[in-house]
Amino acid sequence: MKRKKKLSLMLTLGVSLSLVFGCSSQTENKADVANTANTSSTSSSAKGESVYKVALGLNPKIIGYPAEVTNNGPLPFLDPVIQALAHFDEKGNLVPWLAESWETDAKSRAITFKLRKGVKYSDKTDFDAESVKWNIEKYIENKRSETNNIESIEAADPNTVRLKLKEWNSSTLQAVGYFVRYISPTAFKAHDKEWAYKNPVGTGPYLLDKWQVNVSVSYKKNPAYWEQGKPNVDRLELLIIEDAQTAASALKAGEVDELQASNIDIAKELIDSKKYDVVLHKNGIGAVGVGIIPDSRTKGSPFADVKVRQAMSYAIDEKAIADTFGKGYYVTTNQWGSPDAVTYNPDVAGYPYNPEKAKQLLAEAGYPKGFKTKLFSGGSTKDIFTAVQNYLSAVGINAELVVVDEAKVQDLYFNTWEGGLMGHFHSVQPDLGLYMYRHLDPNGAFYAKGIDHPDDVLQLLKENQQAPNDQVKKETSMKIQKLAYDKYDVFGKPLYIPMGIFIKQKYVKDDGFGTTHASYWTPGSVRIEK
């Protein structure tokens, strides 16, 4: 049965743990003629020209070929030039962008997008159904998970694209609608993929001006941008400043207008000064949650017993950890997503800190004197996991802290972790059928070999994916949260969700950082009101 979708669909988007593909190194790159030729300098601006400068602790390798941008980090560098069919609002609903509407048909396994008319790429070629089809096919060629459920693509007319799915999955709409970004097929074909890495040719409000590798990416106005009255600012400069103190000093000196904080102590100093406006990203969309997950599959693991998993969860005071290490900028939760997520279930009891309850459950499970195990940690979580180790020790779970490098961390969550414990790093977005399923599917990408896969939860996840409407999707999400955490505690103990912290000069308005998805902003809407 069909349902027309103009302004909403519950959802989110995901953080992939995969690495970005590399591109050729260089000292400087100027935009090619496909973006319209230019040689203007980023170090100075013409008199009266408005410039918005933001410091980001990110260093992109690709800014012009989104089919090979496989994590969220580089997205702020793509947003000025390259757009999607849809984006998120503040509550995680999918809303139109390059598509003006869409229809879903669960019975026919079809999604139909109606494209916005009159939109052109910056090389003056048409944004149309054939170009959308070409871009989606590039994602399929790169074996992207966002498009792996597509059976066929039809350009029904210049403004209509119809996707036939291999199976009906309600999450495919958001996967394709938000994650697939569009570049000019004409520009790509006139050059090659290596050229496209460095030369974005999209439909966005800006054109690439200059990319100084490891230093900055600057943009100038797209005079033919489709959204009337935008952009508001003449130039954008995204400065690559990976050191938090250097970025803070630049903000204090007025050398940048905004920064994304990477160090909580430095951020707190800036916030406490009351000199700046602050935006905290609280909804979890695009964020990575941190928890402690037990290996319940390895033979002989004490965590195969749900009572032991629950005891572990009761033993840890997540609120104290969040307050100590997050200084007020970590969100705590007792389930998959943020309390602000549309699929958050307030009826989940979870495991509030209760060491006596933990000891009781251990005794009932046959471990009245506790047991020994291992707790694996990467270098960045060593201090936090040391605190976890101390909480566990207090109830008799004596966990040896094993600090490993990032390569080993990835090996562990792709396999098992020796019957012990490790960090649970997961996309806390509210679409459980898409994100939780990657873990709970027996063939899932992350942690799947080390955890239980309860049949009733898997059945609900399947129903969630096949939901014909948002109401069914939400209802099944609520049931999934209750079973996965309160009945099975399959993911262990959620610890915290780090907030994105964006600090800006008071004259910066409508930049969009921190309001919807963690890596999304609104470059065309930025205003400088000095």
Side-chain angles (χ1 to χ4, degrees):
M1 121 180 202
K2 290 188 178 181
R3 60 185 178 93
K4 194 162 186 180
K5 192 69 169 175
K6 282 189 180 274
L7 287 176
S8 69
L9 172 87
M10 178 273 310
L11 130 218
T12 113
L13 138 98
V15 171
S16 165
L17 291 170
S18 55
L19 299 175
V20 180
F21 286 76
C23 72
S24 58
S25 62
Q26 62 209 40
T27 57
E28 182 176 291
N29 175 69
K30 292 182 180 179
D32 203 286
V33 291
N35 287 311
T36 69
N38 66 84
T39 56
S40 57
S41 171
T42 60
S43 62
S44 62
S45 300
K47 187 175 182 181
E49 187 179 53
S50 56
V51 182
Y52 167 71
K53 298 182 180 183
V54 57
L56 298 172
L58 307 162
N59 198 352
K61 303 301 179 187
I62 299 172
I63 62 172
Y65 188 50
E68 289 191 9
V69 176
T70 56
N71 70 4
N72 292 327
L75 294 184
F77 294 88
L78 275 63
D79 284 337
V81 180
I82 303 174
Q83 299 178 316
L85 296 178
H87 63 90
F88 297 103
D89 67 12
E90 293 182 15
K91 294 184 178 180
N93 298 304
L94 200 63
V95 296
W97 198 227
L98 290 177
E100 60 182 19
S101 66
W102 49 81
E103 293 181 357
T104 60
D105 187 341
K107 185 175 181 181
S108 298
R109 310 192 317 275
I111 300 173
T112 302
F113 291 99
K114 287 292 184 181
L115 306 181
R116 195 176 295 278
K117 296 178 181 179
V119 177
K120 290 185 179 293
Y121 294 103
S122 61
D123 62 355
K124 300 182 181 179
T125 59
D126 290 334
F127 168 79
D128 58 13
E130 287 293 343
S131 75
V132 168
K133 181 175 182 290
W134 180 89
N135 275 276
I136 294 174
E137 287 171 344
K138 287 299 178 186
Y139 276 67
I140 293 172
E141 286 177 19
N142 281 283
K143 303 186 184 304
R144 293 288 294 266
S145 61
E146 296 90 339
T147 54
N148 63 11
N149 189 36
I150 296 175
E151 182 177 284
S152 64
I153 313 165
E154 177 191 2
D157 63 50
N159 299 105
T160 305
V161 177
R162 185 171 294 114
L163 306 181
K164 181 79 171 181
L165 308 185
K166 296 175 183 176
E167 62 177 8
W168 175 250
N169 187 325
S170 59
S171 299
T172 302
L173 174 58
Q174 87 154 286
V176 174
Y178 182 82
F179 285 111
V180 179
R181 308 292 175 99
Y182 296 88
I183 62 172
S184 165
T186 303
F188 183 95
K189 293 172 184 177
H191 299 87
D192 57 25
K193 186 167 66 173
E194 293 290 331
W195 177 91
Y197 286 161
K198 306 183 289 291
N199 293 277
V201 184
T203 60
Y206 288 91
L207 310 173
L208 176 66
D209 183 19
K210 184 183 294 184
W211 180 8
Q212 294 178 287
V213 174
N214 302 324
V215 178
S216 67
V217 185
S218 62
Y219 310 82
K220 67 175 186 177
K221 273 186 175 183
N222 177 1
Y225 181 53
W226 60 267
E227 195 170 9
Q228 190 172 2
K230 295 181 180 180
N232 299 310
V233 174
D234 295 315
R235 293 176 56 77
L236 307 176
E237 294 185 15
L238 306 190
L239 307 179
I240 300 164
I241 305 178
E242 298 182 72
D243 180 71
Q245 188 61 65
T246 301
S249 297
L251 185 74
K252 291 176 184 178
E255 295 169 356
V256 300
D257 304 305
E258 185 165 359
L259 61 79
Q260 180 176 7
S262 59
N263 180 288
I264 288 178
D265 291 323
I266 294 172
K268 194 170 187 306
E269 177 190 344
L270 293 171
I271 294 168
D272 290 346
S273 74
K274 309 292 185 184
K275 294 179 180 179
Y276 310 99
D277 285 342
V278 180
V279 177
L280 301 177
H281 183 256
K282 296 181 179 180
N283 66 14
I285 303 172
V288 175
V290 179
I292 299 295
I293 188 169
D295 179 347
S296 51
R297 292 293 293 274
T298 296
K299 185 177 181 180
S301 171
F303 298 106
D305 189 329
V306 65
K307 288 187 176 182
V308 177
R309 300 198 294 271
Q310 291 171 332
M312 182 273 295
S313 294
Y314 276 122
I316 302 168
D317 189 345
E318 78 279 8
K319 294 187 183 300
I321 287 174
D323 289 343
T324 300
F325 294 96
K327 297 178 171 58
Y329 300 104
Y330 285 172
V331 176
T332 56
T333 182
N334 61 6
Q335 54 197 276
W336 186 270
S338 160
D340 287 343
V342 293
T343 53
Y344 182 86
N345 186 349
D347 294 330
V348 171
Y351 303 94
Y353 179 55
N354 188 336
E356 293 308 313
K357 180 71 172 177
K359 293 176 183 177
Q360 175 191 331
L361 286 169
L362 286 174
E364 292 175 6
Y367 299 99
K369 296 183 179 180
F371 59 88
K372 293 181 179 181
T373 189
K374 292 181 179 180
L375 171 58
F376 292 93
S377 171
S380 64
T381 53
K382 178 183 176 182
D383 291 344
I384 291 172
F385 285 13
T386 297
V388 168
Q389 178 190 34
N390 291 333
Y391 279 119
L392 295 175
S393 176
V395 301
I397 301 176
N398 297 302
E400 175 192 358
L401 186 65
V402 182
V403 180
V404 296
D405 61 22
E406 185 58 29
K408 180 61 177 178
V409 170
Q410 295 198 28
D411 177 68
L412 290 170
Y413 64 60
F414 288 140
N415 294 287
T416 64
W417 38 108
E418 300 181 20
L421 302 162
M422 72 170 293
H424 185 214
F425 305 100
H426 68 290
S427 238
V428 296
Q429 317 202 84
D431 192 339
L432 305 183
L434 180 58
Y435 297 99
M436 187 186 285
Y437 191 73
R438 292 176 179 174
H439 299 229
L440 271 181
D441 176 14
N443 297 311
F446 310 114
Y447 302 97
K449 294 181 180 179
I451 62 173
D452 282 341
H453 306 281
D455 289 339
D456 48 357
V457 180
L458 287 174
Q459 178 59 37
L460 279 169
L461 279 167
K462 201 68 176 175
E463 292 175 20
N464 183 273
Q465 293 173 336
Q466 297 174 348
N469 56 57
D470 289 352
Q471 184 59 35
V472 173
K473 195 168 182 71
K474 185 172 181 179
E475 288 173 358
T476 53
S477 295
M478 297 296 162
K479 294 176 182 178
I480 290 167
Q481 301 270 35
K482 188 75 175 171
L483 285 178
Y485 287 90
D486 284 353
K487 182 176 181 179
Y488 297 111
D489 196 21
V490 67
F491 298 116
K493 180 75 168 187
L495 294 178
Y496 60 87
I497 304 167
M499 296 182 197
I501 307 173
F502 298 88
I503 305 173
K504 57 186 178 180
Q505 309 286 0
K506 292 184 178 294
Y507 53 74
V508 175
K509 308 295 181 185
D510 298 333
D511 55 280
F513 277 112
T515 58
T516 59
H517 183 275
S519 297
Y520 176 77
W521 61 299
T522 53
S525 299
V526 177
R527 292 180 292 114
I528 303 295
E529 294 188 349
K530 288 189 178 180

